[in-house]
Every structure is written in C-alpha cells, then in structure tokens.
Amino acid sequence: KQEVTQIPAALSVPEGENLVLNCSFTDSAIYNLQWFRQDPGKGLTSLLLIQSSQREQTSGRLNASLDKSSGRSTLYIAASQPGDSATYLCAVFFGNEKLTFGTGTRLTIIP
Amino acid sequence: EAQVTQNPRYLITVTGKKLTVTCSQNMNHEYMSWYRQDPGLGLRQIYYSMNVEVTDKGDVPEGYKVSRKEKRNFPLILESPSPNQTSLYFCASSGVGTGHYGYTFGSGTRLTVV
C-alpha cells in the first residue's frame, strides 16, 4: 500500500532557527512530490514541487530535497519567522490519478 | 490570477437537503478532483475527472456525485447529505499528465450537516 508519513506531528521552535520537516513514503516509484502549507481552516498553498528526476527545489527561505531510493523528502526552512507557523503537508503523486497525503506537521514558531 | 475557485466557503445544511458545491478553474487544466479533509484521517480523494465527460471514483465516493460538462467546472453534488459528510472539502486541478505539473487547490468549503 502506498503511504506517506510525516513525523513529528507537531514541532515548536524559537524564531530565527533553521528547521527541517520530514516526509517518508513507501513506494520509490513516484512521479513527483509536493509540499503544501495550510493555515488553520484554510486552503492548501503549494510551496514546492519536486519531479522524480530532481534532487531538490528552492524557493526563498525554503528548500525541499528528494531521495527516492530511501523514500524520503525533507523541507528545510531557514531563519524561521512567526508567519511560518502553519501545518505543512507532504503529498506524493504515485501516478494513480490522485495525491497521497501525509497527515502533516503542525509547526509553531515562538517569537 | 491562476486559481481554483470554490463556492460557498461555508455551508450549514440539514440532513437530506440536496446541495451542490461549485468548483471552477481558469488554467485550462484537464484534470480536476475533489478531496475531503477530516481530523486524524488527512485528505482523501472523493472523485476525479481526467477531462470533459470523464469522471471516476476516488477512495471515498459514497454519497457524492460529480459532473464534468465543461472543462473549467467540476461541481460536487450531495444528493442526500448526512452528518458524516460534515467535513472540509477541497477542489484541485492539474495540467496535462495529471500531477506531473503539480496540483492547485481551492480555498476549501467547510460543510456542516445537522
């Protein structure tokens, strides 16, 4: 069964610190992986999309990596800010006409 | 602005009263899909559509209907809503290759069935 796991479920860090969010998936035959941000009760905002042929993608203070062989992706956030507080979702496209989501990591940045 | 638009954002209804949640995208995407999000269960796919007049069931299709008469629109229909359909619903779209170019999601519809 194709599954996506995100650990930890919640994370609190002081403002200004660099941090890493983890995502693991059970099947290495993926097409792409997408990281989303979700604010409470709100929609999903796409942060980064990594195609299966890529190793990483960067956008501003965010950097996402992909290691298909080990079934892992990380989202690195540099110099965290209170505005980064949100739930971060990892979603994998295994080619079966849907995204398979992890249950997310709820991030709190402490001012 | 490229976007997926859902309406309404919030809806409270009574058991058995038919309702429709609309979804529209302005990116000329072939692929559209509906998800529901529930605490502890994450996001689960309800239905998807590969193109006009082509729809198929996702993981949790029971109690829902969809139609795709136009490329830009993909409404979600609840013929007889029940309280277990209380949830946060998201519509999503993607370009050619279904997912190869990433998904764009709408802002969500919070549905409460009493």
Side-chain angles (χ1 to χ4, degrees), chain A residues 5-105:
Chain A
T5 303
Q6 292 183 252
I7 296 173
L11 180 65
S12 295
V13 300
E15 180 179 0
E17 287 200 358
N18 305 324
L19 62 99
V20 173
L21 305 180
N22 297 300
C23 172
S24 61
F25 44 92
T26 54
D27 185 348
S28 62
I30 73 171
Y31 282 76
N32 60 48
L33 183 147
Q34 200 166 356
W35 282 94
F36 294 90
R37 168 189 173 133
Q38 185 176 26
D39 293 287
K42 299 292 181 62
L44 279 68
T45 300
S46 180
L47 298 173
L48 290 164
L49 170 70
I50 310 178
Q51 300 292 349
S52 62
S53 58
Q54 298 173 321
R55 293 299 298 266
E56 65 178 339
Q57 282 284 342
T58 298
S59 176
R61 295 183 293 108
L62 306 180
N63 176 278
S65 68
L66 175 63
D67 184 342
K68 286 195 305 178
S69 61
S70 66
R72 296 182 63 184
S73 175
T74 62
L75 179 66
Y76 174 83
I77 302 177
S80 58
Q81 304 170 357
D84 294 330
S85 297
T87 295
Y88 290 81
L89 295 164
C90 170
V92 176
F93 183 61
F94 290 106
N96 53 355
E97 310 313 335
K98 68 177 182 181
L99 281 179
T100 300
F101 282 85
T103 49
T105 295

Side-chain angles (χ1 to χ4, degrees), chain B residues 95-110:
Chain B
V96 173
T98 60
H100 290 201
Y101 299 100
Y103 285 67
T104 300
F105 279 77
S107 298
T109 295
R110 182 165 296 281

Side-chain angles (χ1 to χ4, degrees), chain B residues 42-104:
Chain B
L43 283 108
R44 296 175 292 168
Q45 188 186 56
I46 304 171
Y47 267 95
Y48 66 93
S49 169
M50 301 286 285
N51 214 323
V52 176
E53 301 292 1
V54 180
T55 64
D56 211 341
K57 297 177 180 179
D59 295 323
V60 289
E62 295 77 19
Y64 304 95
K65 287 176 57 178
V66 293
S67 69
R68 188 88 180 274
K69 294 183 171 56
E70 304 167 284
K71 196 173 187 179
R72 65 183 292 122
N73 296 322
F74 190 45
L76 179 69
I77 303 159
L78 284 72
E79 294 270 0
S80 182
S82 62
N84 65 11
Q85 292 179 297
T86 292
S87 187
L88 181 58
Y89 291 86
F90 290 103
C91 181
S93 72
S94 177
V96 173
T98 60
H100 290 201
Y101 299 100
Y103 285 67
T104 300

